[in-house]
Amino acid sequence: MKIITLNDNDLDQNTYIINLDDRIIIIDPGLNFKRINKYIYNQNPDIIFLSHGHYDHIASINCFDKSKIYAHIKEKQLLSDPNRNLSAYFQNPLNIDGINFLKGKIINFDNKIKIFHTPGHTEGSIVIIIKDNIFSGDTLFLDTIGRTDLPTGNQNKLCESLRIFSEFNKNSIVYPGHGKFFTLGHAFKSNNFLCKSQIFKPIL
Ligand SMILES: [Zn+2]
């Protein structure tokens, strides 16, 4: 499995291009379609996941086959509304017709890819797990969490969603929507939100 990170300089957004068993997976096709296309040698990706519906993470979706794109059903409203997904500010109306919506809290996409619904940054935010790699979107960063002042954001829900990270191997690598990657164990030492969320974890 190979992971390439394409960082957009303007908004510091990360697009991830993953080669898994000869499948090309893209997570968050952001602003720079030309660079993405160059890295995939103009091939059609097999799967595209949207960690959430904010413009900087979805700006290139019109350039891809919509039947390959997946987002959470709880993000459908935000994705459909240019004011809520912020594309109205960038004069680039996006069309989500034909994309696929996933349902449920924990989704076994296939035997190597698992999706967790993690509302908070937006109502339909997801975290994507591929082997021991965690693609956290704007839910978790090394020292902090995603902002919750934009449409459908909710800090209480986000803190609640952070509980899922206790389920994962601390050696897992976290690939966030912005900024550099880090190990989950490192975040447990440096991220106060993550540490606090575990205090309220129910005893199983
Ligand atoms: Zn965002």
Side-chain angles (χ1 to χ4, degrees), residues 30-80:
L31 290 159
N32 207 330
F33 173 70
K34 277 191 186 154
R35 274 181 76 207
I36 298 171
N37 212 22
K38 187 181 141 211
Y39 275 91
I40 61 176
Y41 304 105
N42 299 313
Q43 294 177 81
N44 281 323
D46 297 280
I47 306 166
I48 299 172
F49 291 116
L50 308 179
S51 71
H52 65 293
H54 283 152
Y55 180 72
D56 51 336
H57 298 257
I58 64 169
S60 293
I61 60 170
N62 281 355
C63 305
F64 293 104
D65 175 355
K66 295 290 197 309
S67 69
K68 305 287 172 69
I69 303 179
Y70 294 83
H72 198 276
I73 187 74
K74 298 272 187 183
E75 201 70 338
K76 190 172 184 178
Q77 256 193 337
L78 184 142
L79 277 164
S80 312

Side-chain angles (χ1 to χ4, degrees), residues 51-54 74-75 78 84 117-126 138-139 146-148 150-154 157-158 161:
S51 71
H52 65 293
H54 283 152
K74 298 272 187 183
E75 201 70 338
L78 184 142
R84 287 176 157 221
H117 177 215
T118 53
H121 176 61
T122 60
E123 183 58 26
S125 286
I126 53 173
D138 287 1
T139 294
R147 59 191 287 187
T148 51
L150 294 169
T152 76
N154 181 317
K157 283 190 182 176
L158 181 40
S161 291

Side-chain angles (χ1 to χ4, degrees), residues 114-168:
K114 210 168 181 175
I115 313 277
F116 288 77
H117 177 215
T118 53
H121 176 61
T122 60
E123 183 58 26
S125 286
I126 53 173
V127 166
I128 301 130
I129 314 290
I130 306 179
K131 293 189 170 176
D132 261 345
N133 303 288
I134 301 171
F135 297 88
S136 65
D138 287 1
T139 294
L140 181 71
F141 303 112
L142 175 59
D143 298 318
T144 188
I145 55 176
R147 59 191 287 187
T148 51
D149 57 326
L150 294 169
T152 76
N154 181 317
Q155 193 171 13
N156 287 341
K157 283 190 182 176
L158 181 40
C159 289
E160 180 90 7
S161 291
L162 294 177
R163 291 184 193 182
I164 62 146
F165 289 99
S166 64
E167 312 287 329
F168 306 139

Side-chain angles (χ1 to χ4, degrees), residues 55 81-94:
Y55 180 72
D81 181 345
N83 287 314
R84 287 176 157 221
N85 67 35
L86 314 175
S87 63
Y89 302 98
F90 293 85
Q91 281 88 42
N92 178 19
L94 296 169

Side-chain angles (χ1 to χ4, degrees), residues 17-32:
I17 300 174
I18 298 144
N19 191 314
L20 178 70
D21 305 331
D22 288 332
R23 288 187 294 175
I24 298 171
I25 301 167
I26 296 181
I27 296 180
D28 290 351
L31 290 159
N32 207 330

